[in-house]
Amino acid sequence: MKTYRAAILGCGGRGRAAGAGYRSHPRTDLVALCDLDQARLDTLGEELGVAARYNDLDLMIEETRPDIVAIPTATEFHYPLAMRVLEHGVNIEVEKPPCWDLAEADAIRAKAQEKGVRFAVHSQGPVGPAMQAVIQAYNEGRIGRLRYVTGSDKGYYAGYGLMNMGFHVISYLCRLTGRCRSVAASGVTGGRPVTPQDVVTSPSGMGTIAAENITATLQFDHSVAATLLLHRLPANDSIAHVTEWYGTEGRLLYNYKLAASWWLPHPHFLPDGERDQWQRLEPVYPDGYDPESGVWPDEVSYVEEYVRALDEGRDHWCGGDNAVHIMEIMMGVFESVAYRRQVDLPQPHRDHPLLRWRGEHGLDDPAPMPRPYREWAAAEDARIRSM
Ligand SMILES: NC(=O)c1ccc[n+]([C@@H]2O[C@H](COP(=O)([O-])OP(=O)(O)OC[C@H]3O[C@@H](n4cnc5c(N)ncnc54)[C@H](O)[C@@H]3O)[C@@H](O)[C@H]2O)c1
């Protein structure tokens, strides 16, 4: 069995998490690290015991010949770095969100195809132990036929929540639903429908966004529907980041923060119903996972899925066509919010729908805003109050 060589490009918090996953998986060797910041590079190198440290990603790839390069950098660098690494003919995984719009997602997929390699997005929850337990329970028929799903983020300003958390939340939904055929969404800012003036620059380098609150309906095959609730809360709350699947005979519920999932053996929940007790599902850990290792099991599951995918010559679940499709849903939500109509997927327009919408109203791209979310939110609240 082949052991895959992995390298990490970006030694911040997410590089640490990804590096720990690759180091602990029995089928991967963590062979090199790269960062422009020498102190970060050395700190992570010492922590993970990696001697091969680089400031130049091209040199790292040429000298250490990794099979997989992980790209856990700030979001605005994902697209250019993904394209640069793919040019070397190396499999990649890039943190969520992978890029800013569908034109970029298409270009990443095309470049990977041209080079004969795979690209994946780093969203670990959808392949993690608690989600594997949901999939197993569903496949065992424990909720009967799936009919409806709800998913929420942590309560960010919605447009930002869509870019920041959307890849995770939509992936959870899609684990049991398959392909989304259409999106119908409404968005409000300051309590009234979004206008082209409400299209703003995202915090944290995540491109262009709009809407303080978004409610979206997604339609899937076999009459399955989903509601995506991205509602700004007074403060972020990880417990709000929940996905719930409704079947004809029961329900399933998943929370990433608690790394847990539950089964309700009845379709309709009554709080005081004696039989209506949620039952915790046993997580499905990857083979050989050591709970004493201190490594977040979702990160090991993420690596496990990439190893299996490469062994089998297929895409990681969070990669390839699935990754582009999830971006199609994200951009479909923005397009539906802006144009106030249902958007059928895949959409023919691959440019950013909010920038297109502004352009049609004679507006340039939105002005820069503060990068940190807290400062960004203060500036946006001041703008909303002045309207
Ligand atoms: N999957 C998750 O659960 C999860 C959670 C939080 C954040 N994220 C995502 O992670 C990303 C941010 O990760 P972070 O907080 O670790 O970022 P960070 O900015 O703290 O660290 C990124 C590192 O990459 C380095 N870097 C940037 N460009 C480089 C280049 N060209 N060559 C070498 N090094 C380079 C920087 O110097 C920095 O040290 C965001 O995209 C965010 O959406 C994902």
Side-chain angles (χ1 to χ4, degrees), residues 9-15 34-37 40 72-75 77-78 81 95-97 122 124 164 168 206:
L9 167 52
C11 297
R14 294 304 305 153
C34 177
D35 202 298
L36 301 172
D37 180 325
R40 281 189 163 202
T73 64
T75 302
F77 305 126
H78 290 177
L81 289 177
E95 264 299 344
K96 58 76 192 166
H122 199 108
Q124 63 281 15
N164 188 0
H168 289 322
M206 295 201 185

Side-chain angles (χ1 to χ4, degrees), residues 243-267:
T243 308
E244 188 170 349
W245 295 263
Y246 295 65
T248 51
E249 293 165 33
R251 295 194 199 175
L252 291 160
L253 193 146
Y254 167 74
N255 180 278
Y256 173 75
K257 182 70 182 173
L258 300 178
S261 47
W262 296 263
W263 171 52
L264 182 74
H266 304 284

Side-chain angles (χ1 to χ4, degrees), residues 8-17 34-38 40-41 54-57 71-78 81 84 94-98 122-125 154 160 163-165 168 172 204-206 256 296 299 371:
I8 307 289
L9 167 52
C11 297
R14 294 304 305 153
R16 173 170 289 104
C34 177
D35 202 298
L36 301 172
D37 180 325
Q38 190 65 37
R40 281 189 163 202
L41 180 62
Y54 293 84
N55 305 119
D56 177 335
L57 73 93
I71 310 177
T73 64
T75 302
E76 58 266 58
F77 305 126
H78 290 177
L81 289 177
R84 192 167 146 196
V94 58
E95 264 299 344
K96 58 76 192 166
H122 199 108
S123 180
Q124 63 281 15
K154 299 178 192 171
Y160 175 60
M163 288 307 290
N164 188 0
M165 303 293 297
H168 289 322
Y172 303 147
S204 307
M206 295 201 185
Y256 173 75
W296 188 243
E299 296 296 347
R371 196 173 193 287

Side-chain angles (χ1 to χ4, degrees), residues 138 141-149 176 224 244-252 263-268 278:
Y138 178 64
R142 290 215 235 168
I143 65 165
R145 184 179 61 76
L146 180 65
R147 56 186 190 86
Y148 175 63
V149 198
L176 302 191
V224 177
E244 188 170 349
W245 295 263
Y246 295 65
T248 51
E249 293 165 33
R251 295 194 199 175
L252 291 160
W263 171 52
L264 182 74
H266 304 284
H268 310 297
W278 285 92

